[in-house]
Amino acid sequence: MYPSVITVIPRDDYLLDISFSNGESGVLDMKPYLDFGVFNRIKDYRSFEKVSVAFDTIEWESGVDLDPEFVYDKCKKALA
């Protein structure tokens, strides 16, 4: 089981500061995903900034969300 997302803060350059229920935190770079499928919805930075925590993961007002395992795995690399 993966830890829950506790907070998410959007930063410049499509980066997200994320903290988890196990005390870890990391940065998730969303730039590599913005040209694929539903992620086009958050390519506009104003849409990207409208991110929040929902159901142990992150989601955007536009309906885009991420699997909690994906969020944790990608942030884990920043922690190493």
Side-chain angles (χ1 to χ4, degrees):
M1 178 138 177
Y2 287 82
S4 302
V5 173
I6 300 297
T7 62
V8 60
I9 300 169
R11 292 186 1 202
D12 292 338
D13 206 22
Y14 297 94
L15 299 175
L16 298 171
D17 284 331
I18 300 175
S19 61
F20 298 95
S21 60
N22 65 355
E24 293 180 312
S25 60
V27 176
L28 177 59
D29 184 356
M30 289 299 297
K31 287 186 299 295
Y33 312 104
L34 296 176
D35 289 325
F36 298 97
V38 297
F39 296 108
N40 278 309
R41 296 180 196 169
I42 59 170
K43 200 169 185 177
D44 174 71
Y45 193 75
R46 288 176 299 211
S47 295
F48 175 78
E49 289 181 307
K50 295 177 183 176
V51 63
S52 61
V53 176
F55 304 107
D56 299 333
T57 191
I58 58 175
E59 72 175 7
W60 284 266
E61 252 182 34
S62 62
V64 176
D65 64 355
L66 293 174
D67 180 84
E69 293 176 22
F70 173 87
V71 174
Y72 185 70
D73 285 343
K74 295 302 177 185
C75 283
K76 237 168 99 171
K77 292 179 182 177
L79 298 172

